[in-house]
C-alpha cells in the first residue's frame, strides 16, 4: 500500500495538527505503518531529532502518534519568526539563513518545492501511508503561485485533500464553500470533502446544513468531531496564542499535599518552546499561568523565564515592563527563578550578540555567573545527564554559547541559591527530576506541596494521543476515510465557480 492524504484547513488553528495526529494514531491502531509530513511549518516551538535536525514540535508530536522516531523529512522546511518581517529558514533540520517574507515568497519558496517533494517521496517509500498537514488555508490566492505546503504539495504528489473547519468560530459552511470556490479547477479536483471540528451540541441539528453543503459542492463531510478540552498539545506557534491569564492544565486533580504551587511564566516576545511548562502543569496541585506585569510575580512560588528567539529583545521587554526589577528582587529574597535557554542567557552577566539581534555587548540581569556569546552555528543536540540525583533527558536549540564561571553545576548551566539556569528544553518531562525540582521549589517557597508520586508525563501524552485517535475512530466515517487514503479523491467532483483568479 502507498496511501496518502493532505489535511488542510479553512483557517489557521482550525485543528489541522490535532486532526492529523488523530488520523495517524487511528491508523497505527489498525496495524498501518504511517508517518506524518508537513512541507513547511512556521513555528517557534521546535524539537531536535536523534540525528540532530530541528523540526516543528507538532510534527514530533505526530510522529509520536505514529509510534515512530521523528526525522527531518517529516518537516523539511521550518520558518522561525525573528520579528514582524523576517524568519530564520531551517532546511532539512539545519538553519540556512534569515529571510524576509517578501524574499521568501518572492522566489525562494517556489524553488523548495522539489526538496519537499523529495522528502515526501522518501517517506512514502518507507511507510504504508503518509498523512500530510497543510498550513493556514489552501485558498490564499495571493500565495498560490509559490505554494509548497497546501495545494502545491497536493498537486505535486497527487494527494486527496480533506478540509477541516472549526465550527466553534462560526461561519463554517461559508468557509468550506468559499475555500473550494477559490481554488483552480485542477486543485478543486483533489478536494474530496470536509471535516467539522469542535462541534458542541446535537449533531442532528447540523445534518441539514451538511446535506445542503453536499448539494452545493458535490463533496461529502467525513465526520463531525465534538469539542473536547485538553487536546491542544504542542501548538505550532506561540505568537498566535493569547497568553495573558492563560492557565495550561492537562489534568484536573487535587494536590497531594496541603498546598498548591503557583508558577508564573514570563510571556516574553518571540517566546519559543513554551511547551516546556506543560510537564509542570500536568502535576496535580501545580497551577501555571503566563504573565506580563510585575505584580503578577508577587504570589508566584516559581518564576520561569522561558526560551525566546530574541534574547536581547526579551531582556529589553522585561526591563521596560518592570519585570526585570521584580525578578531581581525575587532573587535577592531567595525566591525560586528558573531560566530556560534564552531565559537562562538573559539571567547572566552579559551577552555578546552579533548574530541574533546584532546588538553587540548587552548587560544581562547579572543573576548568574554566566557570559554568553552568540555563535553563527546553532547548537542542536539531545543531551542526557543527571541533576538533583535524577536522570534527565532534554534537547538544545540555541546560538548562544554560555561560559559558566561559578555557581553549582545544573545540567549544562548553573544554580546560585534559588536561581537556576539551563539551555535544556524538555528536561521537566523527566518525571523523577521534575518531582525533585518541585520539592526544592516548595521548600524554598515555604509551601506544604508534595509532588504526586505516580505522575508520568509520557503516559499522559500517550493518553492524549489515544483520545485524538478515539475522536477519529468514533466520530469520523473511517471506512470512507480509508478509501480516500487508499484510492485518492473521487473522480468527477464538480467545479465550483468562480475558481481561482487568473
Amino acid at each position: 500500500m502507498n496511501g496518502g492524504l493532505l489535511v488542510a484547513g479553512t483557517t489557521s488553528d482550525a485543528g489541522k495538527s490535532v486532526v492529523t495526529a488523530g488520523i495517524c494514531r487511528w491508523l497505527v491502531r489498525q496495524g498501518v505503518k504511517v508517518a506524518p509530513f508537513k512541507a513547511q511549518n512556521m513555528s517557534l516551538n521546535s524539537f531536535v531529532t536523534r540525528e540532530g535536525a530541528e523540526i516543528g514540535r507538532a510534527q514530533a508530536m505526530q510522529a509520536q502518534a505514529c509510534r515512530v522516531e521523528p526525522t527531518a523529512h517529516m518537516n523539511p522546511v521550518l520558518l522561525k519568526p525573528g520579528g514582524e518581517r523576517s524568519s530564520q529558514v531551517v532546511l532539512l533540520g539545519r538553519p540556512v539563513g534569515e529571510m524576509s517574507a517578501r524574499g521568501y515568497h518572492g522566489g525562494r519558496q517556489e524553488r523548495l518545492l522539489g526538496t519537499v517533494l523529495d522528502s515526501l517521496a522518501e517517506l512514502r517509500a518507507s511507510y504504508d501511508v503518509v498523512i500530510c498537514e497543510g498550513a493556514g488555508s489552501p485558498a490564499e490566492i495571493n500565495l498560490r503561485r509559490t505554494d509548497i505546503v497546501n495545494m502545491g504539495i497536493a498537486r505535486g504528489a497527487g494527494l486527496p485533500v480533506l478540509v477541516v473547519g472549526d465550527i466553534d468560530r462560526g461561519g463554517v459552511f461559508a468557509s468550506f464553500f468559499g475555500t473550494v470556490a477559490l481554488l483552480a479547477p485542477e486543485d478543486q479536483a483533489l478536494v474530496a470533502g470536509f471535516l467539522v471540528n469542535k462541534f458542541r451540541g446535537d449533531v442532528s441539528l447540523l445534518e441539514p446544513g451538511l446535506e445542503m453543503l453536499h448539494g452545493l459542492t458535490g463533496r461529502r463531510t467525513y465526520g463531525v468531531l465534538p469539542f473536547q478540552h485538553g487536546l491542544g498539545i504542542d501548538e505550532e506557534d506561540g505568537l498566535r496564542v493569547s497568553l495573558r491569564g492563560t492557565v495550561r492544565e492537562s489534568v484536573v486533580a487535587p494536590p497531594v499535599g496541603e498546598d498548591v504551587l503557583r508558577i508564573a511564566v514570563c510571556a516574553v516576545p518571540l517566546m519559543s518552546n513554551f511547551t516546556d511548562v506543560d510537564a509542570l502543569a500536568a502535576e496535580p496541585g501545580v497551577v501555571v499561568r503566563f504573565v506580563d506585569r510585575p505584580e503578577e510575580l508577587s504570589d508566584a512560588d516559581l518564576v520561569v523565564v522561558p526560551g525566546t528567539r530574541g534574547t536581547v529583545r526579551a531582556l529589553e521587554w522585561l526591563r521596560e515592563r518592570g519585570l526585570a526589577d521584580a525578578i531581581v528582587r525575587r532573587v535577592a529574597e531567595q525566591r525560586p527563578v528558573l531560566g530556560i535557554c534564552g531565559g537562562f542567557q538573559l539571567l547572566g552577566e552579559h551577552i555578546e550578540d552579533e548574530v541574533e539581534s546584532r546588538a553587540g555587548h548587552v548587560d544581562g540581569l547579572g543573576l548568574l555567573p554566566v557570559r554568553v556569546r552568540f555563535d553563527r552555528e546553532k547548537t542542536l543536540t539531545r543531551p542526557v545527564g543527571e541533576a538533583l540525583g535524577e536522570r534527565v533527558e532534554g534537547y538544545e536549540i540555541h546560538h548562544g554559547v554560555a561560559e559558566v564561571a561559578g555557581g553549582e553545576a545544573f545540567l549544562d548551566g548553573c544554580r546560585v541559591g534559588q536561581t537556576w539556569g539551563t539551555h535544556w528544553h524538555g528536561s521537566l518531562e523527566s518525571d523523577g527530576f521534575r518531582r525533585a525540582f518541585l520539592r526544592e521549589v516548595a521548600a524554598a517557597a515555604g509551601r506544604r506541596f508534595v509532588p504526586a508520586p505516580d505522575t508520568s508525563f509520557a503516559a499522559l501524552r500517550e493518553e492524549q494521543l489515544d483520545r485524538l485517535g478515539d475522536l477519529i475512530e468514533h466520530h469520523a466515517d473511517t471506512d470512507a476515510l480509508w478509501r480516500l487514503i487508499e484510492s485518492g479523491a473521487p473522480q468527477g467532483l464538480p467545479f465550483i465557480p468562480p475558481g481561482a483568479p487568473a
Side-chain angles (χ1 to χ4, degrees):
M1 179 182 180
N2 189 11
L5 175 70
L6 176 71
V7 178
T10 56
T11 62
S12 294
D13 204 30
K16 297 183 293 291
S17 294
V18 293
V19 167
T20 299
I23 293 173
C24 288
R25 178 50 62 99
W26 162 65
L27 286 169
V28 163
R29 296 196 305 209
Q30 312 309 307
V32 178
K33 188 180 180 184
V34 60
F37 177 78
K38 185 163 185 172
Q40 173 194 294
N41 200 345
M42 178 173 279
S43 179
L44 289 171
N45 281 335
S46 58
F47 183 76
V48 179
T49 67
R50 293 205 180 278
E51 67 267 28
E54 184 179 9
I55 66 171
R57 272 200 69 102
Q59 279 60 67
M61 176 268 290
Q62 290 161 357
Q64 187 174 348
C66 297
R67 298 185 177 132
V68 299
E69 275 292 325
T71 72
H73 288 302
M74 294 174 183
N75 179 208
V77 180
L78 173 64
L79 304 178
K80 302 193 73 175
E84 293 297 323
R85 296 187 178 181
S86 68
S87 294
Q88 183 180 68
V89 180
V90 180
L91 181 61
L92 290 173
R94 294 290 173 180
V96 294
E98 296 279 336
M99 189 166 290
S100 68
R102 180 181 291 273
Y104 184 69
H105 290 288
R108 177 63 183 270
Q109 182 183 34
E110 195 172 11
R111 292 194 297 272
L112 292 174
L113 180 59
T115 300
V116 301
L117 285 172
D118 287 347
S119 286
L120 178 56
E122 181 82 16
L123 292 175
R124 297 187 83 175
S126 303
Y127 293 88
D128 300 328
V129 171
V130 179
I131 304 298
C132 307
E133 179 189 344
S137 162
E140 304 290 354
I141 54 179
N142 57 315
L143 302 176
R144 176 62 184 93
R145 181 180 63 81
T146 59
D147 171 46
I148 64 171
V149 67
N150 289 305
M151 300 314 299
I153 197 75
R155 286 267 292 276
L159 294 170
V161 179
L162 185 68
V163 180
V164 177
D166 179 358
I167 197 170
D168 204 41
R169 296 183 174 197
V172 74
F173 292 118
S175 298
F176 281 145
F177 183 87
T179 296
V180 179
L182 280 176
L183 299 178
E186 298 84 355
D187 290 344
Q188 286 195 21
L190 294 173
V191 178
F194 313 107
L195 187 74
V196 177
N197 192 29
K198 300 182 184 177
F199 180 72
R200 305 171 192 251
D202 184 350
V203 175
S204 66
L205 299 177
L206 190 67
E207 286 171 352
L210 300 179
E211 292 172 5
M212 286 185 273
L213 182 66
H214 184 268
L216 288 166
T217 67
R219 290 159 174 85
R220 59 168 298 167
T221 298
Y222 283 75
V224 178
L225 308 185
F227 183 94
Q228 288 194 9
H229 290 281
L231 293 181
I233 54 178
D234 290 7
E235 291 93 336
E236 284 187 356
D237 197 344
L239 294 177
R240 290 187 287 104
V241 176
S242 177
L243 297 170
R244 180 165 171 71
T246 296
V247 177
R248 297 179 64 80
E249 292 183 272
S250 51
V251 292
V252 178
V256 176
E258 297 180 42
D259 290 340
V260 299
L261 276 186
R262 295 175 175 83
I263 298 176
V265 184
C266 296
V268 297
L270 297 175
M271 182 167 52
S272 61
N273 289 70
F274 60 88
T275 48
D276 281 333
V277 300
D278 284 356
L280 295 174
E283 286 284 347
V286 173
V287 177
V288 176
R289 66 183 189 274
F290 292 91
V291 303
D292 59 7
R293 296 184 299 182
E295 57 267 30
E296 293 176 297
L297 304 188
S298 59
D299 67 341
D301 301 307
L302 169 67
V303 169
V304 177
V305 188
T308 171
R309 173 86 164 87
T311 300
V312 171
R313 180 176 169 186
L315 184 57
E316 293 170 349
W317 181 86
L318 289 170
R319 285 175 167 145
E320 289 167 0
R321 289 182 168 261
L323 284 159
D325 289 339
I327 291 170
V328 170
R329 287 194 298 271
R330 283 186 65 90
V331 171
E333 296 166 0
Q334 288 291 302
R335 300 178 67 195
V337 174
L338 170 65
I340 302 174
C341 201
F344 163 46
Q345 295 167 3
L346 61 81
L347 294 179
E349 295 170 352
H350 76 252
I351 298 166
E352 200 69 39
D353 182 11
E354 301 292 348
V355 176
E356 192 174 77
S357 67
R358 297 180 175 84
H361 179 92
V362 177
D363 289 332
L365 296 185
L367 303 176
L368 289 174
V370 175
R371 299 180 177 185
V372 175
R373 173 185 54 81
F374 275 71
D375 195 348
R376 295 196 179 279
E377 291 296 317
K378 181 183 279 192
T379 298
L380 296 168
T381 63
R382 291 272 294 270
V384 177
E386 185 176 301
L388 303 180
E390 299 286 347
R391 187 177 187 273
V392 189
E393 296 184 28
Y395 57 99
E396 296 185 54
I397 306 170
H398 54 91
H399 284 280
V401 178
E403 177 188 339
V404 180
E408 179 183 342
F410 176 64
L411 302 176
D412 72 326
C414 67
R415 168 190 184 180
V416 175
Q418 292 302 318
T419 305
W420 318 64
T422 177
H423 277 128
W424 289 24
H425 294 292
S427 62
L428 293 164
E429 295 180 18
S430 298
D431 297 327
F433 166 70
R434 182 180 64 254
R435 287 192 277 268
F437 176 70
L438 289 176
R439 281 192 291 269
E440 292 251 358
V441 169
R447 298 289 186 189
R448 291 169 294 183
F449 168 84
V450 178
D454 55 355
T455 301
S456 167
F457 185 74
L460 289 172
R461 172 59 54 84
E462 279 295 303
E463 288 175 13
Q464 284 186 308
L465 293 172
D466 277 332
R467 288 175 64 198
L468 294 178
D470 291 343
L471 274 180
I472 299 300
E473 187 171 339
H474 298 153
H475 301 283
D477 185 339
T478 52
D479 290 339
L481 192 58
W482 181 260
R483 288 193 298 272
L484 184 62
I485 292 169
E486 190 174 32
S487 304
Q491 297 296 307
L493 292 169
F495 171 71
I496 309 300

